[in-house]
Amino acid sequence: MTKRTFFAVFVSACLLSLGALLAGCTMRDVSADAGNKAKVGIIYDIGGKDDRSFNAAAYVGALRAVKDNLPIVYRDVEPGDPTSIEPAQRAFAQYGYNLIIGVGFAQGPILTEVAKNYPNLHFVLIDSVAESQNVASLIFKEHEGSFLVGMIAAYTNKTGKIGFVGGMDIPLIHRFQTGYEEGAKYVKPDIVVLKNYVGITDGAWNNPGKGRELANSQYEQGADIIFQAAGNSGLGVFDAAESYKKFAIGVDSNQNWVKPGFILTSMMKRIDNAVYDVIKEETQGNFKGGLHVYGLENKGVDYALDEYNKALIPQEVIEKVEQAKKDIIAGKIKVTDAMAK
């Protein structure tokens, strides 16, 4: 089964919709039939679980838990707009779900309050920190992985210019941008990095048309590689790369397969592994609240190399990037964390 087919099959699976969740259509049945199984509920951000990026990575982790027959009952919600996030979180909590996972920093303030209201339940927050003992906060060192794809971009670059298209203009995405710039300049100090953001609201994650427009502009200005950290909007960057016969770099999930031959690599956040692990810990009675940090040292971030892009990156470049990875882990290379206080 190809990766494209994999996503298509599971996206069409009969999982719980927001309307069903809030109406309680099947929640009572789930509660009655769960038995000794852990009830796991996931609320995705507004990009949806088929964004082939951030949400999709969390989705893959949850599906792996189901496929591996972990003793869970799994349901999820795609809110569609920010106002639906709190009702979804509270519905899961009211029906006694053991583990409630909020995908995305925007859910942080709401999940923090809901977790306080339900101290006997366990919560997971991805990409933000909640100061509650019953919340596991999953944070990733995106700047480290972005440094590596910045190096690959610089080694591949022919024009002296590369680009970056971010989704929402927030400190979290500045972390991607800064790491990418530092990695590129580590290889070519004089390289020019063009930078644009889709917007300043949640809608910035779900606007492929704007993503393509920004990428078109950067390619027209001479960039031959663009790193997108824009959620579903990044798919527009891929369309532009294909149209201009240039390269793009994927984010969060391994997106090399989306536009084969035009995706140079992808900066992977192993959200899938993190979600799978926290679900497994819940089923084993080993849930741990507090801060969980994923970086190069524990394979929480990395760059993607597979059958779709291995012919695009020379072996000598891979060797240099792998050495840089070791140097970052050892502290010999310091990558700026744009979110560090």
Side-chain angles (χ1 to χ4, degrees), residues 243-259:
S243 176
Y244 279 83
K245 302 296 187 286
K246 304 291 185 182
F247 285 125
I249 295 175
V251 74
D252 294 337
S253 296
N254 180 353
Q255 298 183 308
N256 295 352
W257 61 277
V258 178
K259 296 284 186 181

Side-chain angles (χ1 to χ4, degrees), residues 20-334:
L21 174 63
L22 298 182
C25 296
T26 59
M27 295 291 285
R28 292 182 180 83
D29 293 337
V30 168
S31 297
D33 298 340
N36 293 325
K37 294 181 179 180
K39 292 180 289 182
V40 177
I42 297 183
I43 304 98
Y44 295 98
D45 78 3
I46 63 171
K49 64 192 177 191
D50 191 31
D51 63 358
R52 291 179 276 185
S53 182
F54 177 68
N55 288 276
Y59 187 35
V60 168
L63 291 175
R64 190 189 310 160
V66 173
K67 183 178 179 181
D68 286 356
N69 293 315
L70 296 185
I72 65 171
V73 173
Y74 166 68
R75 295 291 184 268
D76 64 19
V77 172
E78 297 176 271
D81 67 79
T83 62
S84 300
I85 290 174
E86 182 170 1
Q89 289 184 9
R90 290 194 178 277
F92 276 133
Q94 288 164 7
Y95 280 101
Y97 272 61
N98 308 94
L99 188 68
I100 300 168
I101 303 173
V103 181
F105 75 95
Q107 299 198 35
I110 299 169
L111 188 140
T112 298
E113 290 304 311
V114 175
K116 289 178 181 178
N117 296 153
Y118 295 89
N120 295 323
L121 301 180
H122 294 156
F123 295 80
V124 177
L125 178 58
I126 298 175
D127 271 357
S128 189
V129 178
E131 301 294 340
S132 300
Q133 293 184 349
N134 62 329
V135 181
S137 300
L138 313 185
I139 300 296
F140 296 80
K141 297 180 181 179
E142 296 93 349
H143 50 298
E144 293 184 349
S146 297
F147 185 96
L148 300 183
V149 301
M151 289 183 64
I152 293 172
Y155 278 121
T156 308
N157 172 252
K158 300 291 194 299
T159 65
K161 292 182 180 180
I162 58 176
F164 176 85
V165 173
M168 193 174 175
D169 190 353
I170 53 173
L172 175 62
I173 306 304
H174 296 172
R175 183 185 272 167
F176 290 81
Q177 175 196 312
T178 301
Y180 176 64
E181 284 193 78
E182 291 186 355
K185 291 182 180 296
Y186 182 79
V187 175
K188 292 182 178 179
D190 296 331
I191 198 167
V192 174
V193 183
L194 306 176
K195 302 174 284 288
N196 294 104
Y197 285 81
V198 175
I200 58 174
T201 67
D202 289 335
W205 304 116
N206 201 23
N207 190 345
K210 183 66 172 181
R212 180 167 187 167
E213 177 185 324
L214 295 175
N216 287 345
S217 175
Q218 291 187 2
Y219 287 132
E220 289 288 348
Q221 293 177 68
D224 58 1
I225 302 161
I226 297 175
F227 177 31
Q228 65 87 8
N232 207 37
S233 299
L235 299 180
V237 177
F238 294 164
D239 289 338
E242 183 178 41
S243 176
Y244 279 83
K245 302 296 187 286
K246 304 291 185 182
F247 285 125
I249 295 175
V251 74
D252 294 337
S253 296
N254 180 353
Q255 298 183 308
N256 295 352
W257 61 277
V258 178
K259 296 284 186 181
F262 299 103
I263 311 299
L264 182 61
T265 186
S266 298
M267 199 296 283
M268 296 189 298
K269 288 172 62 173
R270 298 312 304 262
I271 300 169
D272 56 335
N273 290 343
V275 167
Y276 178 89
D277 288 346
V278 77
I279 292 174
K280 186 174 182 179
E281 288 166 0
E282 177 67 28
T283 65
Q284 296 173 336
N286 295 325
F287 174 86
K288 301 179 183 67
L291 187 63
H292 300 247
V293 180
Y294 300 87
L296 290 175
E297 73 280 1
N298 55 7
K299 298 183 179 180
V301 296
D302 208 342
Y303 65 97
L305 188 66
D306 59 17
E307 68 271 24
Y308 295 102
N309 73 330
K310 63 184 179 181
L312 304 177
I313 308 173
Q315 182 59 34
E316 58 266 28
V317 171
I318 296 300
E319 291 172 0
K320 291 175 180 177
V321 173
E322 285 297 314
Q323 183 59 54
K325 183 192 297 185
K326 294 176 183 177
D327 289 343
I328 292 171
I329 294 171
K332 296 179 181 177
I333 295 177
K334 303 289 186 182

